[in-house]
Amino acid sequence: MGREAGFLNGGDTIFTAKQREVWENTVKHFHRWNISYGATRSGKTYLDYFRIPYRIRHAPDGLIVLLGNTQSTLERNILEPMRDIWGAELVGNANNSGRIKLFGKNCYALGADKANQAEKLQGSGLAYCYGDEITTWAESVFQMLKSRLDKEGACFDGTCNPDAPSHWFNKFLQSDADIYKMRFTIDDNKFLPQSFVSALKKEYAGTVYYDRFINGLWKAAEGTIYRTFADDPGRFMLDAPPEDIIYCTAGLDFGGNGSAHALNLTGYTTNLRQLVTIDEWYSKEELTPNELEKAVCDFLERALEKYRVTDLYCDSAEQVLIRGIRNEAAARKLPIAVHNARKGPIKDRIRFYTSLFGAGRYKIMRHCIHTAEAFSEAVWSEDDVRLDNGSANIDSLDAQEYSTEFVMKSVIDLK
């Protein structure tokens, strides 16, 4: 079965019992759909660094495609780790169109997060497809994939973290299609340090993420989002900022149509061990562009008197207002770069702050009442997103998240 199979059949101990079980039931016994779902860091993806080369080498004639949330996440989660194992000669680099050489065959590595990505699969008969982070895909991409996987002996391997029970992919898993599925929990990965597992369980305790990312369950999100904070806000409030804040960044959400302008300043302590909302500005007034520019730059000037403030991240939906703020900051010679906020998936931002609250790594200055109220009042909607109907202060949450998006991965990596 080749070198990749030898890793599992040679009596070594680098694979968990559940990984070996998946190999036995998906490689030695054919199923059209093979899905590993469950906890984060549970080992469900590691097996695929060996299963993918086996599939590619034994695939029937036809197109071979690897799909991820985006091409960049596919590179980070799948291609780069495989390249580390197998080498650059066997695992190439994808070009702008997604073409990539994998184990001697021409393949494609594509994103699946937007509906128009489905067009790239039209007219293509697939021999093999691998899917990473399936629950983050646009449903239309998956529906198109089902009709394209039409070669004799073609199959699909994929992984995902669970979402709400009503998620479209969970409905597919409950169908009568030829599906082999395996649930992973965090405790299935015996190679993780116990200290890491304990820390992760603590960070997600009392939230929907414990059920999904620790126990690997399809669990509905209900009630208060930031339960750890809402149950005991005083635990996370500070009267004075930490002495070892090394720099700060700011996030700005623009108001309008009943929402408020919100500006948050976040400080970072040594080695990014702690994040602190140091100051905030919140206004529901009808401000002219000039008034808004002045208010924002006045806030930044005051912050610069105490801290090293490096960047301001603004809601990218208002480019005219951003240009005005950038020009005003330049006229005042403020040493702050003004950027568009990344505005990544809200669920990713929620998960980030949920984790920080659980680890005790995020604090709020006591005078930042709007930010504290926003975290206390945030609730899930019926369709598993953050409720944004004007009943709660989402503006301060957006501003806070914008200020930290660029550093989220670095902070989370510091377990």
Side-chain angles (χ1 to χ4, degrees):
M1 298 175 74
R3 179 188 170 195
E4 63 279 352
F7 279 98
L8 289 106
N9 297 327
D12 52 74
T13 58
I14 66 169
F15 290 91
T16 67
K18 187 157 286 188
Q19 288 166 343
R20 289 176 180 275
E21 184 177 348
V22 171
W23 177 272
E24 291 288 326
N25 286 285
T26 62
V27 172
K28 294 185 177 181
H29 302 280
F30 179 83
H31 294 278
R32 179 171 165 83
W33 302 95
N34 306 282
I35 310 300
S36 297
Y37 70 91
T40 183
R41 300 297 303 276
S42 60
K44 61 186 181 298
T45 302
Y46 183 75
L47 176 69
D48 295 329
Y49 304 149
F50 303 86
R51 186 166 54 165
I52 290 171
Y54 176 84
R55 295 292 203 195
I56 290 175
R57 293 176 61 241
H58 293 83
D61 292 337
L63 193 64
I64 295 172
V65 175
L66 277 64
L67 295 172
N69 175 252
T70 64
Q71 192 181 93
S72 61
T73 60
L74 187 63
E75 165 68 25
R76 182 175 67 247
N77 295 343
I78 304 298
L79 298 175
E80 184 178 323
M82 284 205 306
R83 201 173 293 122
D84 290 340
I85 295 170
W86 301 103
E89 289 187 6
L90 293 177
V91 183
N93 291 283
N95 62 21
N96 291 336
S97 66
R99 286 181 64 88
I100 184 172
K101 197 84 166 181
L102 295 174
F103 304 96
K105 293 190 178 182
N106 292 318
C107 306
Y108 280 87
L110 304 172
D113 61 324
K114 295 182 175 60
N116 61 8
Q117 301 284 35
E119 299 172 2
K120 298 179 180 179
L121 299 179
Q122 289 179 342
S124 304
L126 299 186
Y128 173 64
C129 183
Y130 178 79
D132 178 51
E133 297 185 335
I134 306 167
T135 48
T136 68
W137 296 5
E139 182 180 1
S140 58
V141 175
F142 187 75
Q143 298 301 337
M144 176 65 72
L145 169 65
K146 288 194 291 187
S147 67
R148 297 296 91 195
L149 203 67
D150 59 0
K151 298 298 182 182
E152 184 70 27
C155 69
F156 175 91
D157 298 322
T159 65
C160 66
N161 296 126
D163 205 281
S166 60
H167 192 281
W168 60 263
F169 188 63
N170 189 44
K171 293 178 180 178
F172 171 73
L173 291 181
Q174 307 309 314
S175 72
D176 60 358
D178 179 17
I179 305 172
Y180 172 83
K181 53 191 175 184
M182 175 63 77
R183 177 171 72 96
F184 284 71
T185 73
I186 192 71
D187 294 316
D188 288 322
N189 189 350
K190 303 303 182 183
F191 298 106
L192 288 176
Q194 190 56 47
S195 58
F196 172 84
V197 174
S198 297
L200 205 62
K201 289 181 176 181
K202 179 180 179 182
E203 289 165 17
Y204 289 140
T207 73
V208 67
Y209 296 114
Y210 194 95
D211 294 303
R212 294 179 182 177
F213 299 148
I214 301 298
N215 290 331
L217 300 172
W218 297 82
K219 180 73 173 182
E222 300 174 322
T224 301
I225 295 177
Y226 306 101
R227 173 62 63 187
T228 303
F229 177 81
D231 285 348
D232 188 8
R235 174 185 160 200
F236 302 94
M237 308 302 288
L238 298 178
D239 293 312
E243 296 182 356
D244 62 336
I245 288 178
I246 52 177
Y247 73 99
C248 300
T249 56
L252 174 61
D253 186 50
F254 297 107
N257 298 321
S259 64
H261 300 295
L263 176 58
N264 277 36
L265 182 70
T266 302
Y268 306 87
T269 64
T270 305
N271 295 325
L272 302 180
R273 282 296 173 187
Q274 192 171 75
L275 280 64
V276 181
T277 297
I278 294 176
D279 204 359
E280 67 175 10
W281 173 72
Y282 181 88
S283 175
K284 281 196 170 184
E285 294 183 26
E286 293 290 337
L287 301 177
T288 67
N290 287 341
E291 290 172 334
L292 178 62
E293 293 160 14
K294 181 179 185 303
V296 171
C297 288
D298 285 349
F299 177 94
L300 296 175
E301 278 191 334
R302 292 193 299 271
L304 284 165
E305 293 174 0
K306 298 180 180 179
Y307 304 103
R308 175 177 167 249
V309 184
T310 59
D311 301 271
L312 170 65
Y313 296 90
C314 308
D315 184 350
S316 57
E318 301 290 351
Q319 290 299 309
V320 173
L321 296 178
I322 292 174
R323 284 196 294 272
I325 292 169
R326 187 179 287 123
N327 291 337
E328 178 67 14
R332 299 193 191 194
K333 295 183 171 53
L334 302 183
I336 297 175
V338 180
H339 314 271
N340 289 334
R342 293 186 180 182
K343 296 183 73 170
I346 291 177
K347 286 186 179 181
D348 289 349
R349 300 185 237 158
I350 291 174
R351 184 179 171 187
F352 175 75
Y353 278 96
T354 297
S355 174
L356 289 192
F357 280 128
R361 294 176 59 193
Y362 172 58
K363 301 295 173 64
I364 302 171
M365 292 293 292
R366 198 172 299 278
H367 71 272
C368 298
I369 57 174
H370 297 287
T371 302
E373 289 175 351
F375 277 112
S376 292
E377 297 172 356
V379 295
W380 295 106
S381 68
E382 292 182 358
D383 53 354
D384 201 50
V385 296
R386 190 164 63 197
L387 186 64
D388 187 6
N389 63 358
S391 63
N393 173 14
I394 300 301
D395 311 306
S396 291
L397 294 180
D398 283 337
Q400 180 58 39
E401 292 161 355
Y402 295 162
S403 74
T404 56
E405 276 188 292
F406 78 101
V407 79
M408 284 182 178
K409 184 178 186 304
S410 298
V411 171
I412 289 296
D413 285 346
L414 292 172
K415 293 294 185 186

